[in-house]
Amino acid sequence: MEDACTLCYNLVLQNQPHPALKKISQLHDSSLYKCCCCYAYLHHYSNQWEIMSAGSYHGNPSGAESIMKTG
């Protein structure tokens, strides 16, 4: 089952980037990041974050129920 880490969920909910993010692509006002903790792919655009593909985090991140995952 795919899931993102707590850091990535907090990023989407609270707009707080974390040090495990690595930018892998950028085009105009849009960037794609990969989390080195859970291997999720995240899209940053217009000051918003979206989890494009959840990673392989095996914990139970708080607030996970309120995030819609795409992919």
Side-chain angles (χ1 to χ4, degrees):
M1 179 175 169
E2 291 186 348
D3 210 354
C5 65
T6 304
L7 293 172
C8 287
Y9 281 108
N10 286 338
L11 169 64
V12 173
L13 291 172
Q14 302 168 4
N15 197 20
Q16 295 178 351
H18 59 84
L21 291 177
K22 180 180 178 183
K23 187 186 288 188
I24 58 174
S25 180
Q26 182 173 352
L27 181 64
H28 303 290
D29 292 333
S30 177
S31 299
L32 184 63
Y33 290 82
K34 183 175 183 180
C35 176
C36 297
C37 178
C38 67
Y39 308 109
Y41 289 90
L42 297 107
H43 184 217
H44 182 243
Y45 60 97
S46 301
N47 257 353
Q48 297 180 352
W49 290 90
E50 176 183 13
I51 297 175
M52 298 299 295
S53 176
S56 58
Y57 183 73
H58 299 290
N60 186 17
S62 61
E65 301 81 23
S66 62
I67 300 291
M68 291 197 59
K69 293 182 253 181
T70 61

